[in-house]
Amino acid sequence: MTLRERLDEARRAVRARAALVPEVGLVLGSGLGALADAVEGPDAIPYAEIPHVPVPTVPGHTGRLILGRLEGRAVAVLQGRCHLYEGYSAEQITLPIRLLAALGARTVVVTNAAGGLSREFHSGDLMIIADHINFSGTNPLVGANDETLGPRFPDMREAYDPALRALAEAAAREERLPVRTGVYVGVLGPSYETPAEVEMLVRWGADAVGMSTVAEVIVARHAGLRVLGVAAITNAIRRAGAAPAPVGHEDVLAAARAIAPRLARLIRRVVRDLPS
Ligand code: HPA
């Protein structure tokens, strides 16, 4: 079966259950799923009921597609995601992004939990992603390219849409939410970084590190979606004057859940203010 055929099957399965055509897709990362509860008139479809959509195996990721309205706008929410470290291929974990595009979305907002590499960053910060470094060891576009889905060699110079970033910064000001801006480096995981790796990633120019997002953004650009990315900084890896704190998935989830209400405010404002 080709990627196009798998995608068409997934789209048909969703269309058999919900007619809403989303303007915007939202991807809610580790511990950040609560925003999905704000969706009005929701049609919630478990990933397990959509052919070819992989099911998350890690705590903190629910695994549902929710179609409905947020701030009056038609949205499709991916509540929970799959990661490469779960053993899925890059093509599998990004099928949900292609599905958003196939359902009609033109914009996608991608969120994640990330470790702060910049000395300026604290646990609890929100970071608008300006750019990324793909250090995951793979690329979701490896293999034959289907020109009907996107170009063989997609341009990644402005992967994170400058106009959407400006909109998010304005939204943050209006909501009085402090935000940072920076570069996200996507690693494979699931082991956290060694001190030597942390130093390397910092020298590369990364401000935050996480185990998701980059494959999704590559596919989103391939599919012609405009992208906004927001990272929730759950642990400050190199905070000035502090010994490196141990990090564990439970701490990351707890920190993400504490940040989630602020992230939700930011995203709702962005969705509300998106030009149609
Ligand atoms: N490293 C990698 N991924 C992460 C981290 C981290 O410190 N925190 C949350 N996701």
Side-chain angles (χ1 to χ4, degrees), residues 1-245:
M1 219 183 192
T2 64
L3 174 58
R4 162 65 74 185
E5 286 163 345
R6 287 195 293 278
L7 181 59
D8 285 346
E9 269 195 7
R11 182 179 46 80
R12 280 198 297 273
V14 173
R15 279 292 166 244
R17 295 181 55 167
L20 181 121
V21 175
E23 290 178 72
V24 191
L26 304 175
V27 185
L28 303 181
S30 301
L32 302 170
L35 176 59
D37 300 336
V39 174
E40 290 165 18
D43 267 313
I45 310 173
Y47 294 163
E49 295 171 20
I50 310 173
H52 316 297
V53 170
V55 176
T57 62
V58 290
H61 287 269
T62 307
R64 300 190 301 170
L65 169 67
I66 298 155
L67 292 155
R69 293 198 167 265
L70 188 67
E71 302 292 324
R73 312 295 285 265
V75 298
V77 181
L78 294 168
Q79 189 183 26
R81 62 153 64 87
C82 289
H83 306 80
L84 289 168
Y85 65 72
E86 292 172 77
Y88 295 116
S89 72
E91 191 179 288
Q92 282 176 301
I93 63 162
T94 53
L95 189 103
I97 301 293
R98 294 202 187 276
L99 182 56
L100 295 176
L103 292 171
R106 289 286 155 260
T107 301
V108 64
V109 181
V110 186
T111 67
N112 60 54
L117 294 169
S118 162
R119 287 205 191 277
E120 314 277 290
F121 285 12
H122 296 82
S123 172
D125 284 350
L126 290 172
M127 184 187 92
I128 294 172
I129 304 177
D131 202 351
H132 78 214
I133 297 170
N134 178 11
F135 190 51
S136 69
T138 188
N139 188 299
L141 306 181
V142 169
N145 187 58
D146 180 341
E147 286 288 329
T148 68
L149 294 175
R152 171 77 286 187
F153 300 108
D155 186 358
M156 292 293 286
R157 279 173 304 171
E158 291 189 334
Y160 297 82
D161 191 84
L164 287 179
R165 283 171 49 200
L167 185 87
E169 272 158 23
R173 279 195 299 276
E174 273 150 34
E175 291 289 327
R176 299 186 190 287
L177 289 167
V179 286
R180 317 260 188 185
T181 299
V183 172
Y184 175 93
V185 58
V187 297
L188 179 59
S191 48
Y192 288 111
E193 295 66 44
T194 65
E197 286 164 347
V198 167
E199 280 315 303
M200 176 189 75
L201 298 174
V202 167
R203 287 180 206 196
W204 282 0
D207 300 292
V209 54
M211 303 176 192
S212 67
T213 303
V214 294
E216 295 165 7
V217 172
I218 290 167
V219 163
R221 295 305 299 141
H222 186 249
L225 291 167
R226 297 204 306 159
V227 175
L228 174 68
V230 185
I233 305 298
T234 53
N235 50 300
I237 301 176
R238 296 166 73 242
R239 200 159 52 78

